[in-house]
């Protein structure tokens, strides 16, 4: 049997929506983007959404919108995709890592205050695999030290912790619509915020710092525009937004199927001594973006190889980023710097998880994982 690591869910309605845009006059940022932004905010329960071209762009612009720049420090986690820390570097600031919790892989909030220095300007938690960090506690620490909070919610659109959703307590939450994400436009991203001021700044920053976007320039008589600040070229297009609209409508249904699959995996591996799973806390609804298992670190690469040989698509999310060559060389990190993140990074394997995965395929993955981890 061949089980793909990921299969997207683009259907006829999504294709029709894109064709409608392609047959229209306006391909770039216009009304369809505004419609998506409005609906995304409604879904999240936050005031404003700004559509961009990736979560990396969303992180970069959110940091800039919060005034982060050269000489500043931003506290974040080494258990994430490199985009999180790279975005901090794009601004000229320095990512300062804090180790993670062994049960969830999320930043250990008990360690954050020790990392605060006079240069610290923001905390950038990552909601790993879809489970939210304790944003309430992070916000308390941030308020005490006058720091911004920017959430990397690339995995966590559907998440909720203690009734709080991404973007509700922080300055900004950043989302990804990359090819394998819970909803996707191939590439894409968004920022959600409750701050009008931040939203307005983000809208300028996503398009060169221009005072008027393309839709505004088109829909009114010509007026000169100004460049008010240095911005980037990160604006979401109507084509991307059209692809997302219908997926957003079906987001909860698709989440339910992923939740079901995760529960099948969790039950199957509960009694298994060779395989452990991270925990979803009782006060938390995980976005269930990725399902990972942990195996003995000295067996991990061999287990990955054998799963692939038996037709199962797998990934490793993530090897702790402070140990990657660039971060070692730039900041002198060594093994032992963040031991919990390293342990997860050395033992983790991501299994297939998407609504199109059949029960039969899930059972096959479980059977093969058990066989290769006990052999
Ligand atoms: C935790 C996390 N943050 C940020 C990103 C970057 O997202 P994008 O590819 O949309 O830039 C990813 C992408 O996989 C991610 O997993």
């Amino acid at each position: 049997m061949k089980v793909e690591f990921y299969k997207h869910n683009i259907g006829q309605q999504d294709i029709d929506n894109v064709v409608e845009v392609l047959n229209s006059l306006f391909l770039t940022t216009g009304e369809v983007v505004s419609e998506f932004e409005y609906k995304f905010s409604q879904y999240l329960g936050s005031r404003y959404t700004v559509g961009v071209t990736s979560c990396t762009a969303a992180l970069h612009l959110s940091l800039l919108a919060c005034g982060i720049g050269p000489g500043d420090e931003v506290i974040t986690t080494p258990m994430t995709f490199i985009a999180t820390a790279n975005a901090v570097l794009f601004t000229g600031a320095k990512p300062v890592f804090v180790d993670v919790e062994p049960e969830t892989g999320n930043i250990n909030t008990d360690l954050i205050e020790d990392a605060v220095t006079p240069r610290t300007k923001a905390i950038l938690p990552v909601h790993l695999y879809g489970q939210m960090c304790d944003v309430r506690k992070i916000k308390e620490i941030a308020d005490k030290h006058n720091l911004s909070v920017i959430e990397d919610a690339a995995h966590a659109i559907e998440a909720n912790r203690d009734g709080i959703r991404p973007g509700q307590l922080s300055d900004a939450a950043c989302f990804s619509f990359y090819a394998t994400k819970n909803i996707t436009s191939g590439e894409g991203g968004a920022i959600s915020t409750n701050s009008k001021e931040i939203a307005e700044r983000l809208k300028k920053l996503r398009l060169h710092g221009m005072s008027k976007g393309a839709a505004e320039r088109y829909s009114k008589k010509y007026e000169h525009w100004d460049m008010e600040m240095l911005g980037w070229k990160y604006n979401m297009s109507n084509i991307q937004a059209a692809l997302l609209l219908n997926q957003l409508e079906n987001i909860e249904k698709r989440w339910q199927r992923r939740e079901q699959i995760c529960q099948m995996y969790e039950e199957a591996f509960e009694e298994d001594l060779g395989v452990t799973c991270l925990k979803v806390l009782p006060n938390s609804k995980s976005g269930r973006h990725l399902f990972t298992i942990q195996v003995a670190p000295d067996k991990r690469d061999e287990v990955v190889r054998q799963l692939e040989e038996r037709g199962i698509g797998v990934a490793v999310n993530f090897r702790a980023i402070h140990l990657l060559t660039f971060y070692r060389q730039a900041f002198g990190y060594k093994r032992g710097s963040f031991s919990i993140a390293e342990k997860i990074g050395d033992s983790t394997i991501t299994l297939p998880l998407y609504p199109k995965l059949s029960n039969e395929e899930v059972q096959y993955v479980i059977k093969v994982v058990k066989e290769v981890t006990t052999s």
Side-chain angles (χ1 to χ4, degrees):
M1 191 186 272
K2 171 109 182 93
V3 184
E4 294 291 347
F5 177 68
Y6 182 81
K7 279 188 194 164
H8 68 68
N9 237 300
I10 304 299
Q12 196 54 48
Q13 183 64 55
D14 308 294
I15 294 168
D16 291 348
N17 289 350
V18 172
V19 169
E20 200 178 314
V21 169
L22 294 178
N23 283 324
S24 77
L25 189 66
F26 223 83
L27 303 184
T28 185
T29 317
E31 270 178 22
V32 191
V33 173
S34 302
E35 184 185 347
F36 173 71
E37 290 172 338
Y38 175 74
K39 290 186 171 161
F40 198 69
S41 286
Q42 272 199 323
Y43 173 71
L44 282 174
S46 71
R47 284 208 192 98
Y48 308 97
T49 293
V50 179
V52 290
T53 46
S54 67
C55 185
T56 307
L59 290 162
H60 183 193
L61 295 190
S62 299
L63 289 158
L64 293 175
C66 289
I68 313 298
D72 296 336
E73 291 178 357
V74 175
I75 294 175
T76 191
T77 164
M79 180 37 59
T80 182
F81 181 57
I82 46 175
T84 318
N86 288 357
V88 176
L89 291 171
F90 297 166
T91 69
K94 178 184 173 193
V96 172
F97 296 122
V98 162
D99 211 352
V100 298
E101 304 168 333
E103 314 78 48
T104 65
N106 277 335
I107 192 165
N108 186 337
T109 50
D110 290 337
L111 304 177
I112 291 178
E113 274 202 281
D114 284 348
V116 174
T117 74
R119 289 171 179 257
T120 309
K121 288 285 159 51
I123 307 173
L124 173 39
V126 178
H127 304 318
L128 191 68
Y129 311 142
Q131 170 156 236
M132 285 179 73
C133 303
D134 188 349
V135 181
R136 207 187 286 268
K137 187 162 171 203
I138 291 170
K139 179 74 178 136
E140 273 169 27
I141 299 167
D143 285 347
K144 188 168 151 196
H145 297 277
N146 199 20
L147 310 174
S148 301
V149 178
I150 295 156
E151 296 167 77
D152 182 335
H155 302 175
I157 308 176
E158 304 89 339
N160 181 326
R161 179 167 172 159
D162 300 318
I164 304 293
R165 309 279 305 272
Q168 289 183 337
L169 287 187
S170 63
D171 295 279
C174 301
F175 299 90
S176 174
F177 310 129
Y178 173 69
T180 57
K181 290 294 185 282
N182 296 354
I183 62 173
T184 177
S185 46
E187 300 284 353
I191 306 137
S192 104
T193 176
N194 276 332
S195 159
K196 187 164 189 244
E197 194 192 328
I198 289 179
E200 281 175 357
R201 217 173 307 150
L202 287 169
K203 285 200 168 168
K204 288 188 180 139
L205 284 169
R206 78 174 165 183
L207 188 62
H208 287 298
M210 285 168 78
S211 55
K212 291 186 196 338
E216 224 182 324
R217 297 199 306 278
Y218 169 74
S219 60
K220 296 186 183 138
K221 286 227 156 22
Y222 181 83
E223 276 177 27
H224 294 306
W225 49 265
D226 192 13
M227 178 179 150
E228 297 174 357
M229 59 187 82
L230 178 62
W232 271 255
K233 185 64 169 69
Y234 286 159
N235 52 310
M236 177 183 273
S237 74
N238 274 356
I239 302 171
Q240 289 168 310
L243 202 41
L244 292 166
L245 279 173
N246 175 60
Q247 293 180 69
L248 185 59
E249 294 225 336
N250 291 298
I251 195 166
E252 284 297 315
K253 209 166 72 199
R254 290 173 185 186
W255 173 85
Q256 275 164 12
R257 174 61 187 154
R258 292 198 311 278
E259 173 68 27
Q260 230 173 29
I261 295 167
C262 289
Q263 287 184 13
M264 285 162 77
Y265 281 143
E266 279 164 357
E267 272 170 36
F269 299 130
E270 208 168 29
E271 307 281 297
D272 197 314
L273 296 179
V275 177
T276 54
C277 303
L278 294 179
K279 304 242 166 335
V280 176
L281 304 173
N283 54 348
S284 169
K285 172 189 172 188
S286 168
R288 293 297 203 181
H289 172 53
L290 296 175
F291 188 86
T292 64
I293 54 170
Q294 292 175 56
V295 300
D298 58 342
K299 281 196 177 166
R300 194 265 305 276
D301 292 357
E302 179 57 19
V303 172
V304 165
R305 201 186 57 75
Q306 288 193 28
L307 290 173
E308 282 184 333
E309 249 172 33
R310 309 256 318 247
I312 299 172
V314 289
V316 170
N317 307 92
F318 302 94
R319 289 187 302 141
I321 62 176
H322 66 282
L323 295 182
L324 300 177
T325 302
F326 173 85
Y327 280 94
R328 279 182 192 261
Q329 287 177 352
F331 299 103
Y333 288 121
K334 295 187 198 62
R335 195 159 267 285
S337 303
F338 307 102
S339 61
I340 309 288
E342 288 165 20
K343 183 161 176 286
I344 296 173
D346 292 345
S347 56
T348 193
I349 302 172
T350 312
L351 301 181
L353 174 65
Y354 44 92
K356 278 189 174 163
L357 200 63
S358 68
N359 286 355
E360 201 190 347
E361 287 172 318
V362 176
Q363 293 308 337
Y364 176 71
V365 173
I366 290 168
K367 177 172 135 303
V368 176
V369 167
K370 288 193 172 191
E371 283 172 12
V372 304
T373 51
T374 47
S375 65

